C-alpha cells in the first residue's frame, strides 16, 4: 500500500462564517442565534464572541493569499444567512451578497476551488423568535434562501453542502443546550432534526 497521495488529490482549508468573518454589525448584516448565545454570560469561555473573529470580512484577500501560499486548491466556507438576508425572510442584502461574490471571484482568480456550505449554525435571530428549526415554516424560508444563493453563485461554485453537522444543530443546540440557541428540550430537538432532514 502506497503512502503517497495521488497527484490530483485536493488539499483544502475550511472555515465557518461566524467563527471567522467578524463584522457582525456591518453593511446590513442581521443578528444570528450565535450573536445572542455568545453574548449571554456564562455560555462561552472568557465571554468570547464572533464580533471581530479573524476579521475575514475585511481581510479575505489576505487570507486567500495565505491559502495560495500554502498551496491549497480548495476552500470550504459557509454563507452567513443573516449577512445576505438579515431577517431570514424578505429582502436580500446586496452588500452581503457582494462580499461573497468578491470572495468567490478572488478564490477562482488564484486557482482555489470554492466549496460553499449554506448553513453552519448561524440562524437569523428573527427566525428563532418563531421557533427556529422546529417550525416547518423555516424549512420553506431556507429553501428560498438556498435558491437565491444558487442563483447568485451557481455560475461559479460547483460544490455545495446544505448543512454542516446537522446533529450539532439538533442535539447540542436544542437538547443539551451547549450550542445556540441553548434550548434543552427533547421534543424540540426531535422536531429540529426532522425539519433539518426536510430542508436538506
Amino acid at each position: 500500500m502506497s503512502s503517497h497521495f495521488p497527484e490530483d488529490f485536493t488539499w483544502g482549508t475550511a472555515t465557518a462564517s461566524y467563527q471567522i468573518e467578524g463584522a457582525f454589525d456591518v453593511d446590513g448584516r442581521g443578528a444570528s442565534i450565535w450573536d445572542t448565545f455568545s453574548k449571554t454570560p456564562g455560555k462561552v469561555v472568557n465571554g468570547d464572541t464572533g464580533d471581530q473573529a479573524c476579521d475575514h470580512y475585511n481581510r479575505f484577500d489576505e487570507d486567500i493569499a495565505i491559502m495560495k501560499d500554502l498551496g491549497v486548491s480548495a476552500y470550504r466556507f459557509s454563507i452567513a444567512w443573516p449577512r445576505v438576508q438579515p431577517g431570514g425572510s424578505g429582502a436580500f442584502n446586496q452588500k452581503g451578497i457582494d462580499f461573497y461574490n468578491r470572495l468567490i471571484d478572488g478564490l477562482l482568480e488564484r486557482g482555489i476551488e470554492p466549496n460553499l456550505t449554506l448553513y453552519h449554525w448561524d440562524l437569523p435571530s428573527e427566525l428563532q423568535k418563531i421557533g427556529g428549526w422546529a417550525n416547518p415554516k423555516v424549512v420553506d424560508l431556507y429553501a428560498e434562501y438556498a435558491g437565491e444563493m444558487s442563483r447568485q453563485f451557481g455560475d461559479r461554485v460547483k460544490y455545495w453542502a446544505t448543512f454542516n453537522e446537522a446533529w450539532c444543530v439538533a442535539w447540542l443546540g436544542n437538547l443539551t443546550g451547549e450550542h445556540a440557541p441553548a434550548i434543552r428540550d427533547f421534543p424540540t430537538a426531535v422536531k429540529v432534526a426532522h425539519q433539518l432532514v426536510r430542508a436538506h
Side-chain angles (χ1 to χ4, degrees):
M1 185 169 96
S2 172
S3 62
H4 298 287
F5 288 90
E7 289 185 10
D8 62 350
F9 186 83
T10 299
W11 293 99
T13 58
T15 61
S17 54
Y18 185 72
Q19 298 167 4
I20 192 171
E21 287 180 4
F24 78 104
D25 60 352
V26 171
D27 290 338
R29 179 189 178 276
S32 81
I33 56 174
W34 274 88
D35 291 303
T36 303
F37 180 83
S38 66
K39 292 170 185 174
T40 302
K43 293 296 184 185
V44 180
V45 175
N46 300 322
D48 292 339
T49 72
D51 287 4
Q52 182 175 6
C54 302
D55 198 25
H56 184 62
Y57 186 80
N58 295 305
R59 306 182 71 168
F60 72 92
D61 206 53
E62 297 171 58
D63 294 337
I64 296 172
I66 292 170
M67 291 181 228
K68 183 66 176 176
D69 189 53
L70 287 170
V72 302
S73 52
Y75 175 47
R76 178 271 195 186
F77 64 96
S78 65
I79 299 286
W81 188 352
R83 191 176 297 287
V84 297
Q85 193 181 30
S89 64
F92 285 87
N93 176 24
Q94 189 60 49
K95 288 184 178 179
I97 290 169
D98 289 345
F99 165 68
Y100 293 109
N101 274 316
R102 292 192 299 271
L103 174 62
I104 291 164
D105 289 344
L107 291 166
L108 292 171
E109 286 167 7
R110 292 169 178 84
I112 300 171
E113 190 76 54
N115 286 245
L116 189 157
T117 299
L118 287 165
Y119 185 82
H120 194 141
W121 306 354
D122 47 356
L123 187 73
S125 292
E126 291 301 311
L127 298 187
Q128 190 59 46
K129 291 177 182 177
I130 62 169
W133 284 108
N135 184 342
K137 181 179 179 181
V138 173
V139 176
D140 296 330
L141 295 172
Y142 174 81
E144 176 187 298
Y145 152 70
E148 183 61 24
M149 295 305 95
S150 177
R151 284 186 286 277
Q152 294 288 341
F153 311 127
D155 59 330
R156 287 156 292 152
V157 178
K158 298 178 185 176
Y159 303 102
W160 297 70
T162 51
F163 291 96
N164 179 79
E165 296 177 311
W167 77 272
C168 291
V169 178
W171 303 120
L172 300 185
N174 293 275
L175 177 62
T176 65
E178 296 169 71
H179 285 185
I183 292 171
R184 296 183 178 181
D185 184 69
F186 181 72
T188 298
V190 172
K191 288 176 186 176
V192 168
H194 175 68
Q195 300 305 338
L196 289 171
V197 172
R198 288 185 60 236
H200 171 73

